[in-house]
Amino acid sequence: MTKKQVGIGIMSALIVYTPVLYAGEISLSKSQLTIQEGVQVFDIQLSISEDEVYAGAEVGIDLPKGLSLTRVTYGIDEEYMNVGPVQNSAGTYYFGYFDGENKFSGDYTITLGLEKTDATIKEATINVSALNITRLDADQNVQTNRQVVNKPVQVSFEQIEVVAEPIIVEPPIEQVVDKPTTPTKQPQKEAVAPAPSVVEKEEVPEEVEPIEDTEKIVIETVVEKEVVEVEAPLPYGKIALIAFIIALFSFIIGRFSKKDKTFVKKENTYDQEL
């Protein structure tokens, strides 16, 4: 016999065999639910809790006219098989999960997808009516704990007014510049302290006479220097020496010139006499 066949046998035995061992608990996330009028599909959640290991669980819920169960999602991380949702002759929906061994324990959350088929209904009551926990003994015999449960969920379909939240315009956040600490300011004050004295020194020239007067003074000084240089004594010694040399040189040249003229004249005289 395969594991799947054992599981199917477990689910079948839930209907006909009911010893009492280890009852599980079932709870609803909400007992009242308000749905926006016009919404056709919505969800509810329930939880199954059992500390002792078991092989399968089956849940039954009763729905009023105008609602139908279309989807079941099991929050189980490990491998499992599931069945349903199926509706019996009394109108109760059954669904559940199971395996061929006792492997489930702890808390499991189940999400039910519901659909509103009658747009005219304003209120509805969904009732969780049954919880069946199944185990296998050492001889693989099925032992089932069947519980009658009464866990209602009141659902209202209303026109929900959406209140717009006021928009609060916050002032712009000013950028906060970290100011230097006191120890940092002290060196800056010491460095800037000499600045006033420097500025005072630079401002002193403003009290001096205009630039034009200064230029005049410079020009007058230069002229005076030129006049002084002109009035300096001439080098009479050098001039007298040069004049003497020139005179001596002229005298010598003159003497030689007279001798040549005398000699020529004598020669001419002699020729005439002959």
Side-chain angles (χ1 to χ4, degrees):
M1 182 180 294
T2 64
K3 181 184 290 188
K4 186 174 182 179
Q5 290 173 337
V6 172
I8 294 173
I10 292 172
M11 298 306 296
S12 300
L14 293 176
I15 303 173
V16 297
Y17 185 69
T18 315
V20 178
L21 274 176
Y22 303 113
E25 294 182 1
I26 191 167
S27 61
L28 295 167
S29 60
K30 292 182 179 180
S31 60
Q32 293 184 348
L33 189 62
T34 301
I35 305 298
Q36 174 72 35
E37 187 175 2
V39 174
Q40 302 297 322
V41 177
F42 61 96
D43 294 343
I44 64 172
Q45 287 186 334
L46 57 87
S47 297
I48 295 176
S49 178
E50 174 60 276
D51 294 335
E52 299 293 333
V53 292
Y54 59 95
E58 184 185 41
V59 180
I61 65 169
D62 295 321
L63 299 179
K65 290 182 179 180
L67 293 181
S68 62
L69 179 61
T70 59
R71 172 175 47 86
V72 180
T73 303
Y74 303 91
I76 302 174
D77 296 332
E78 53 193 330
E79 293 183 0
Y80 66 95
M81 292 176 284
N82 63 82
V83 64
V86 293
Q87 190 175 19
N88 64 9
S89 59
T92 302
Y93 286 91
Y94 283 92
F95 55 90
Y97 55 92
F98 60 91
D99 198 275
E101 58 182 310
N102 296 327
K103 60 181 295 184
F104 302 107
S105 66
D107 299 332
Y108 297 103
T109 299
I110 302 175
T111 302
L112 307 181
L114 302 171
E115 183 178 0
K116 180 181 177 183
T117 58
D118 184 357
T120 62
I121 62 174
K122 301 296 182 180
E123 295 182 351
T125 300
I126 301 169
N127 187 51
V128 179
S129 57
L131 173 61
N132 303 324
I133 299 294
T134 302
R135 290 180 176 83
L136 299 175
D137 61 15
D139 298 327
Q140 295 296 304
N141 296 319
V142 176
Q143 298 178 343
T144 303
N145 179 359
R146 185 186 299 270
Q147 300 181 59
V148 175
V149 181
N150 184 22
K151 299 281 186 180
V153 179
Q154 301 295 330
V155 181
S156 300
F157 299 94
E158 300 178 1
Q159 186 66 38
I160 302 173
E161 295 182 1
V162 179
V163 180
E165 296 182 358
I167 300 173
I168 301 174
V169 180
E170 297 182 356
I173 300 174
E174 297 181 357
Q175 294 183 352
V176 180
V177 179
D178 294 336
K179 295 182 179 180
T181 56
T182 304
T184 306
K185 289 183 178 179
Q186 289 180 352
Q188 292 180 355
K189 289 183 179 179
E190 292 177 359
V192 176
S197 60
V198 175
V199 174
E200 290 176 2
K201 288 181 181 180
E202 291 178 355
E203 293 178 353
V204 171
E206 294 181 359
E207 300 178 358
V208 182
E209 296 180 358
I211 297 174
E212 295 180 359
D213 296 340
T214 306
E215 291 179 354
K216 289 180 181 180
I217 293 170
V218 174
I219 293 170
E220 290 175 1
T221 304
V222 174
V223 173
E224 288 178 0
K225 286 183 180 181
E226 290 178 357
V227 173
V228 171
E229 289 177 0
V230 173
E231 292 177 358
L234 298 174
Y236 293 105
K238 291 181 181 181
I239 295 172
L241 179 60
I242 293 170
F244 176 75
I245 292 171
I246 294 171
L248 180 60
F249 183 71
S250 300
F251 175 76
I252 293 170
I253 292 173
R255 292 292 296 172
F256 280 105
S257 298
K258 288 181 180 181
K259 287 182 181 182
D260 293 337
K261 290 180 181 180
T262 304
F263 180 74
V264 172
K265 287 180 179 181
K266 285 181 180 181
E267 288 180 350
N268 293 336
T269 306
Y270 178 74
D271 292 335
Q272 290 177 1
E273 289 180 357
L274 291 178

